[in-house]
Amino acid sequence: ACMDAAGCEPPVLLIDDLAAELDQTARRSVLGMLLKMGRQIFLTAIEGSDLPRLEALERASMFHVKQGLLVPV
């Protein structure tokens, strides 16, 4: 796979509504694994509270989509 091959660009990961199918413990685990990969990640959530509180997320940029526009949170 290109994700681990030398000379390949690292992928950008897009995760839509992480909380839809996972409980809080599983969300924390999955997000922790994703963050360890060192990739750029875009996450969507219905509510900001759906994302676990992790130190790495404190450095993240967060936006709210309002009437089709991105509004910084």
Side-chain angles (χ1 to χ4, degrees):
C2 192
M3 286 179 66
D4 296 325
C8 288
E9 292 290 324
V12 174
L13 302 175
L14 308 171
I15 310 294
D16 184 37
D17 201 5
L18 185 67
E21 302 295 332
L22 302 174
D23 64 21
Q24 185 70 17
T25 302
R27 279 180 249 161
R28 181 175 291 279
S29 177
V30 168
L31 194 51
M33 288 186 294
L34 291 170
L35 292 171
K36 286 180 185 177
M37 293 173 69
R39 308 283 197 247
Q40 184 177 15
I41 304 169
F42 287 88
L43 294 170
T44 66
I46 301 300
E47 299 289 334
S49 60
D50 289 341
L51 298 175
R53 296 284 176 219
L54 296 176
E55 184 178 321
L57 289 181
E58 299 302 319
R59 299 184 308 267
S61 297
M62 295 186 74
F63 299 90
H64 175 77
V65 178
K66 187 173 184 173
Q67 297 179 351
L69 300 173
L70 288 178
V71 179
V73 175

